[in-house]
C-alpha cells in the first residue's frame, strides 16, 4: 500500500511524492495528518487494499468519492450508527457492515493515537458493537413435483 518510512523520516517529509502509489488511475500521496492513511500504513498490503475499499465505500455513503476527502476527525458515534443503519437498509450483509465498522474503528484509533481526536470521541465509537447475524438465504430449491 503505502511505503513505510521510519518515524524520523516521516516527520521530515511533507506530503512526499516518493511515498506515492498508483491505484485505480489515481495517485495517492501518504498524508501523516490523515488518520485513514496512518491506519492503512499500519496494515499488510493485502489488508490495506481491503480496508481502503471499505473506507471508500463508507465515505461514498456520505457523498464523498474517496476516503482522502473526508475529515475523519469530525466523525462521531451517531454518525457511525447512522452509517450502520443505512448499510442495513441497503441489505449489506452483517459481515460487510462488520468489516466497515472495523475499518472505521481502526481509523479512529489511529486518530486518537496521533492526538487528532479525544479519548472520549474514540471510545464512544470503539464501544459500538459488531453487527451480528447472517444473510438470509436466497430462496429454497423446489422439487420437480412443486413446479
Amino acid at each position: 500500500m503505502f511505503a513505510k518510512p521510519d518515524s524520523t523520516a516521516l516527520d521530515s517529509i511533507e506530503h512526499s511524492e516518493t511515498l506515492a502509489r498508483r491505484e485505480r488511475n489515481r495517485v495517492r500521496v501518504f498524508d501523516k495528518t490523515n488518520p485513514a492513511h496512518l491506519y492503512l500504513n499500519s496494515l499488510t498490503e493485502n489488508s490495506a487494499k481491503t480496508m481502503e475499499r471499505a473506507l471508500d465505500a463508507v465515505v461514498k455513503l456520505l457523498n464523498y468519492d474517496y476516503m482522502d476527502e473526508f475529515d475523519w476527525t469530525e466523525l462521531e458515534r451517531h454518525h457511525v450508527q447512522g452509517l450502520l443503519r443505512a448499510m442495513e437498509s441497503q441489505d449489506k450483509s452483517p459481515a460487510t457492515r462488520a468489516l466497515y465498522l472495523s475499518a472505521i474503528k481502526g481509523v479512529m484509533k489511529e486518530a486518537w493515537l496521533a492526538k487528532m481526536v479525544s479519548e472520549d470521541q474514540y471510545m464512544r465509537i470503539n464501544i459500538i458493537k459488531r453487527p451480528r447475524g447472517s444473510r438470509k438465504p436466497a430462496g429454497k430449491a423446489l422439487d420437480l413435483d412443486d413446479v
Side-chain angles (χ1 to χ4, degrees):
M1 261 354 283
F2 296 109
K4 292 190 177 188
D6 63 81
S7 61
T8 56
L10 181 60
D11 292 336
S12 66
I13 298 172
E14 296 223 5
H15 310 294
S16 171
E17 298 89 334
T18 61
L19 299 178
R21 64 186 175 82
R22 184 149 181 86
E23 183 176 79
R24 288 179 274 160
N25 298 322
R26 65 191 165 116
V27 174
R28 177 169 295 139
V29 178
F30 178 80
D31 178 1
K32 69 180 182 180
T33 64
N34 185 328
H37 288 205
L38 296 173
Y39 172 60
L40 294 176
N41 205 43
S42 73
L43 302 173
T44 65
E45 186 174 347
N46 285 338
S47 294
K49 285 178 184 177
T50 300
M51 289 307 197
E52 180 179 8
R53 283 191 299 273
L55 292 170
D56 279 342
V58 166
V59 298
K60 279 185 190 343
L61 293 170
L62 300 168
N63 297 319
Y64 291 87
D65 289 325
Y66 301 108
M67 58 150 212
D68 309 67
E69 302 168 356
F70 183 67
D71 183 2
W72 293 96
T73 62
E74 297 297 318
L75 196 63
E76 296 285 346
R77 178 182 172 87
H78 64 276
H79 299 131
V80 177
Q81 290 170 323
L83 285 167
L84 291 172
R85 279 191 302 277
M87 287 184 271
E88 187 174 14
S89 70
Q90 293 175 352
D91 281 337
K92 299 278 188 206
S93 73
T96 298
R97 289 181 279 140
L99 174 72
Y100 292 179
L101 178 59
S102 177
I104 291 168
K105 286 180 176 184
V107 170
M108 295 310 290
K109 180 178 182 181
E110 288 297 329
W112 170 65
L113 290 171
K115 300 183 191 266
M116 296 176 190
V117 298
S118 69
E119 183 176 8
D120 280 349
Q121 183 179 355
Y122 165 64
M123 289 305 296
R124 284 191 298 270
I125 290 172
N126 195 49
I127 61 172
I128 296 173
K129 293 189 190 285
R130 181 181 195 274
R132 301 278 181 207
S134 60
R135 191 180 281 279
K136 294 177 185 173
K140 75 174 200 172
L142 298 174
D143 290 330
L144 288 176
D145 297 337
D146 295 336
V147 179

